[in-house]
Amino acid sequence: MGLFSSLLGKAGTVEPEELLKKYEKLLIEGEGIELGFKLYHDVFIFTTKRLILIDKQGLAGDKVEYKSIAYKNISKFSIEAPNAFDPDAELKIWVAGEQTPSVKKQFNKSVNVYDVHHVLASYVLK
């Protein structure tokens, strides 16, 4: 992922092995990483049990917020697939009881949005 895409707020894929090395302490026993993405300072990780949002605040990322959303609390999600006129995809996730999406992220063309849809559908629709 290029710096320009990062600055524009579009996420690119990060390999699960790289995420595991850096964020293993956040996982519980038996939890694995399915997919992960980086958005400038921020990271979001789809695990086998939940979605983990890592929000690094400040220019240097001095303060970090770790937010977990259990798949069972996701009431709906949408994926806007890329097309010829707009090569970027968008993900929206609603948490139960909320009228607006709790998570709204754009992906650059390096992300297979159907992989994201598959992981969400596999866990949310159980």
Side-chain angles (χ1 to χ4, degrees):
M1 176 178 70
L3 177 62
F4 188 66
S5 291
S6 297
L7 292 173
L8 290 177
K10 296 177 178 114
T13 305
V14 180
E15 292 299 318
E17 297 79 22
E18 182 181 335
L19 293 169
L20 187 59
K21 286 179 189 175
K22 192 164 186 175
Y23 299 108
E24 183 177 21
K25 63 186 174 213
L26 297 176
L27 303 178
I28 64 170
E29 185 176 328
E31 184 176 21
I33 295 176
E34 295 278 345
L35 286 173
F37 305 96
K38 185 167 184 170
L39 175 66
Y40 194 47
H41 283 301
D42 300 338
V43 176
F44 49 111
I45 302 169
F46 293 90
T47 77
T48 54
K49 304 209 179 273
R50 61 193 159 142
L51 172 60
I52 301 173
L53 302 164
I54 302 164
D55 180 16
K56 295 183 180 179
Q57 300 165 6
L59 291 177
D62 298 339
K63 189 174 181 181
V64 181
E65 176 185 21
Y66 300 96
K67 185 187 296 185
S68 292
I69 301 172
Y71 291 125
K72 68 180 181 179
N73 293 328
I74 296 175
S75 60
K76 62 183 174 179
F77 60 91
S78 72
I79 304 261
E80 184 179 295
N83 62 42
F85 300 107
D86 185 5
D88 299 322
E90 185 174 54
L91 166 68
K92 294 178 188 171
I93 298 175
W94 287 260
V95 173
E98 295 184 356
Q99 298 300 314
T100 58
S102 301
V103 176
K104 190 174 177 180
K105 300 288 182 186
Q106 279 195 312
F107 300 104
N108 64 28
K109 62 185 175 188
S110 73
V111 174
N112 183 342
V113 70
Y114 299 104
D115 288 345
V116 176
H117 184 273
H118 180 76
V119 169
L120 276 170
S122 295
Y123 291 105
V124 172
L125 301 177
K126 280 187 177 182

